[in-house]
Amino acid sequence: MQTCNHPSVDLTLLEDTLAEYAGVKGSLISILQKTQEIYGYIPIDAVYRISERTGASPAKILGVATFYSQFRFQAVGKYLILLCKGTACYVNGADRILDAVSDELGIGNNETTEDGLFSLSVVACLGCCSLAPVMMINDKTYGSLTPDKARQILRDLRKEAEAQ
Amino acid sequence: MTARIVVGEGSCGLAAGAAAVYDALKEKLAGVDAKLGITGCVGACYLEPIVDVYDGAGALHRCVRVKPEDAGTIAGAVKSGDYASLADIAIQPEDEGFLSKQTRIALRHCGVIDPESIDEYLADDGYQALEKVLKTMTPEQVIEEIKISGLAGRGGAGFPTWFKWNAARQSKGEEKYLICNADEGDPGAFMDRAVIESDPHNLIEGMMIGAYAIGCSEAVVYVRAEYPLAIVRLTEAIKQARERGYLGKNILGTDFSCDIRIKAGAGAFVCGEETALIESLEGNRGMPRLKPPFPAEAGYWHKPSNINNVETWANVSWIINHGGAAFAAMGTENSKGTKVFAVTGKVKRGGLVEIPMGMTLRDVIFGIAGGIRDGRKFKAVQLGGPSGGCIPESLLDTVIDYKSLQATGAIMGSGGMVVMDDSTCMVGIAKFFLDFTTKESCGKCVHCRIGTKRLGEILNRIVSGEGKEGDVELLEELCNTVKAGALCGLGQSAPNPVLTTIRYFRDEYDAHIRDKKCPAKACPALLTYAIDKDKCKGCSACAKKCPVGAISGEVKKPYSIDPAKCIRCGACHNTCRFGAVTVE
């Protein structure tokens, strides 16, 4: 099936996952998680390939994928920032951290910087409430943030990326 | 005996920098006769990174807020035997009270043993309860023991555990499933994460005891995707348990066989509801099913299934080892045993607190967590997350048990306890929770989908200064309709934060609506910024910082703010070094 205006992806990368899960009932979410691990997001071409192999309709697959906050449909930057807005973070000023991060990077929630370095995603709770406010960048958690500290972390990461 | 140095590497510890501390210690301890290891989270998250130093005689010297540069001091103390040299980083007596005032059952190994080592778990009576159950007890006897203990579901609903187990056992069918709900979605609760990260074998042992009692041969742990470390540790623990014969075929040489697999959630609060969780396990959108039939009758793949949450499972092996009566000896008439609370927010000492039921909220918030920090005043404690409510100071002597908390309009919930001071706006917090439930509503039933949306809109109007007379009554009416009409627990309890804040903090709603004022000075749209002419030195710092040019004046003379231009961003207030910018 043809769709337009999206980058094509190498679908052979999906083969191992499909070979392992396609016949296992109830494994659609696991397949989608593996797909996102491979591509960094859920490419629409992959949805059609999963549909062909599992027999689930593209509508069903997208219905499941869009239900869960983990799944993304666009590529994300090198650093994915999960900014926590759970209760403890909210009470401790998460809004000010969000403002600082948005201002520093020039992006809002679910957006990626033009250089493809940072993506920002506001999440419900990272479970590090005693260190609120908190953000997680690529599985590393940063706690007890202040607006200045958050800006500094992003600047350090940018420097790190430029040095590479 | 060789000295042992143990670094707390739970998520909180790691976030506070425990990995760098571990690396520094490894370097400094090279050549020193000492054993370096890790443990999980002891629960005193506010003191992280924590390093426990056991000297040659086995005595504990606990070091807190340790930085990598302290590694030399610790190595020096171990080498010289002069542990008094750790004084600068040693835990203070008032902080020791945070832990010593607790009674630990579910968390008993957390921050004590190495979660990545089955041998350390075994050395602390690990898997003895499973052995006792498999070799000396019938499934009925196990259920009876749990009944005697009075253990009730710790995930929120507080339903008697034995009753669920018994119903699943009595259900007809060969294939039965055991499920652990580790989709800890309540923002502000993290005890389940701590148990899995710090004591994964305890969870496995509890689940295997349940599986034997009910007659399940397959078990699943549904863990939320936001907990990567928990998934890593549990995966490793399952592997170890399988290798040692505590999982898999013919466990401990008996006829009983059962295995566990992990399913990672994909981010949906509603999946904490058991039937939504089952839908998600089956690879579908996590939308709740109509009950009955209950999962005990028709759950996962429509087979009899039993679901309990992590903290509930974490109590099971202790109950078997010590007897149900010992567990029931703690607590109140209607709530037995202990409960873990995640105390966070504006308290001095935040972290995990496990206490016997029957203590008061004041005991926990002031006695253990040290009260409010920064010299501010207690305003409310939020219990039970988005399904719970805000309790005011006048009810702080409420006893912690299922019934007493419910009578306040809040719930025990999963044990999130977010403490707020006078800088938190109660209308704002209600709006915060409604924003959350609106986003997380699965959309299946109209009352929840549309009701939470409309509630959120009214609250938004109030905090934006556009509230109208009658809004509070409208909120109440809508809340009661959503409660009555929603299909699942998420929808039925979503109005609780609104109803409790109206019940206890009606004056704040009225101030927003009638006076267009936010008493907590937290709602930006209702604030007025001005410059106190007597305090202003005319330094012009605020004028330079103002993003919209609303501040004008001459240097060395008092400046002023044009309210028509002001966007209430607060930049001037944060910039002024003389406290001359006032907020009303």
Side-chain angles (χ1 to χ4, degrees), chain B residues 521-539:
Chain B
K521 298 179 184 171
C523 297
L526 301 180
L527 301 180
T528 311
Y529 287 87
I531 292 173
D532 182 338
K533 295 204 171 340
D534 296 334
K535 286 186 182 165
C536 179
K537 309 277 185 208
C539 74

Side-chain angles (χ1 to χ4, degrees), chain A residues 25-30 33 60 62-64 66-71 82 85-88 90-92 96 123-132 136 139-143, chain B residues 12 15 45 187-188 190 193 224-225 227-228 263-268 270-271 280-287 301 344-346 350-351 373 418 424 428-429 432-433 436 442:
Chain A
K25 68 172 180 173
S27 61
L28 181 53
I29 293 171
S30 303
Q33 283 169 333
K60 152 98 184 178
L62 281 169
V64 170
T66 52
F67 185 83
Y68 296 97
S69 61
Q70 187 188 19
F71 298 117
L82 303 178
K85 224 184 146 184
T87 320
Y90 169 81
V91 169
N92 281 302
R96 288 189 299 128
V123 297
C125 184
L126 294 169
C128 286
C129 314
S130 296
L131 300 169
M136 193 190 260
D139 280 357
K140 185 168 180 208
T141 312
Y142 300 85
Chain B
C12 292
C45 307
F190 54 92
R193 171 179 68 68
R224 66 195 293 246
Y227 289 175
K263 190 99 175 176
V270 69
C271 290
S280 182
L281 277 179
E282 294 180 5
N284 302 321
R285 290 164 69 93
M287 293 163 101
W301 301 122
T344 60
K346 298 298 181 81
R373 64 168 188 247
V418 184
T424 306
I429 199 81
F432 166 82
F433 281 115
F436 180 84
C442 79

Side-chain angles (χ1 to χ4, degrees), chain B residues 389-390 425-427 429-430 459 495-509:
Chain B
C390 289
C425 170
M426 290 293 130
V427 188
I429 199 81
L459 289 166
N496 285 349
V498 184
L499 287 172
T500 52
T501 47
I502 292 176
R503 183 161 157 194
Y504 300 120
F505 301 95
R506 173 73 191 245
D507 54 330
E508 287 200 29
Y509 279 86

Side-chain angles (χ1 to χ4, degrees), chain B residues 62-82:
Chain B
R62 177 162 282 158
C63 303
V64 300
R65 297 196 181 102
V66 180
K67 296 183 200 66
E69 47 271 34
D70 298 324
T73 314
I74 293 174
V78 173
K79 253 189 274 184
S80 65
D82 173 21

Side-chain angles (χ1 to χ4, degrees), chain A residues 133-154:
Chain A
V134 174
M135 66 180 172
M136 193 190 260
I137 304 179
N138 294 0
D139 280 357
K140 185 168 180 208
T141 312
Y142 300 85
S144 308
L145 295 174
T146 61
D148 287 341
K149 202 169 152 187
R151 284 176 195 270
Q152 195 54 48
I153 290 164
L154 300 175

Side-chain angles (χ1 to χ4, degrees), chain B residues 334-482:
Chain B
N334 66 63
S335 304
K336 304 296 186 192
T338 59
K339 174 80 191 93
V340 183
F341 289 94
V343 187
T344 60
K346 298 298 181 81
V347 284
K348 282 185 189 148
R349 299 194 270 276
L352 291 177
V353 175
E354 183 170 2
I355 44 119
M357 302 273 192
M359 277 177 101
T360 65
L361 290 168
R362 192 186 300 279
D363 290 337
V364 175
I365 297 167
F366 287 86
I368 295 176
I372 306 298
R373 64 168 188 247
D374 304 331
R376 299 196 76 111
K377 205 173 159 296
F378 175 91
K379 185 191 258 183
V381 54
Q382 210 284 339
L383 284 181
S387 310
C390 289
I391 298 177
E393 187 170 19
S394 59
L395 293 177
L396 271 181
D397 292 313
T398 303
V399 162
I400 295 174
D401 72 12
Y402 287 100
K403 273 196 183 154
S404 314
L405 289 180
Q406 206 157 14
T408 67
I411 56 167
M412 179 90 75
S414 55
M417 198 183 262
V418 184
V419 179
M420 299 165 202
D421 64 16
D422 52 1
S423 68
T424 306
C425 170
M426 290 293 130
V427 188
I429 199 81
K431 178 181 167 299
F432 166 82
F433 281 115
L434 257 295
D435 283 347
F436 180 84
T437 33
T438 306
K439 255 186 240 143
E440 296 295 339
S441 171
C442 79
K444 184 167 181 168
C445 66
V446 177
H447 286 86
C448 178
R449 185 180 69 238
I450 317 270
T452 54
K453 176 101 183 136
R454 295 290 170 262
L455 283 169
E457 284 169 358
I458 299 168
L459 289 166
N460 201 30
R461 204 163 72 210
I462 297 174
V463 299
S464 308
E466 289 156 22
K468 296 183 293 213
E469 282 298 328
D471 270 353
V472 173
E473 290 69 26
L474 184 59
L475 281 172
E476 284 176 324
E477 188 191 335
L478 199 46
C479 281
N480 290 325
T481 311
V482 173

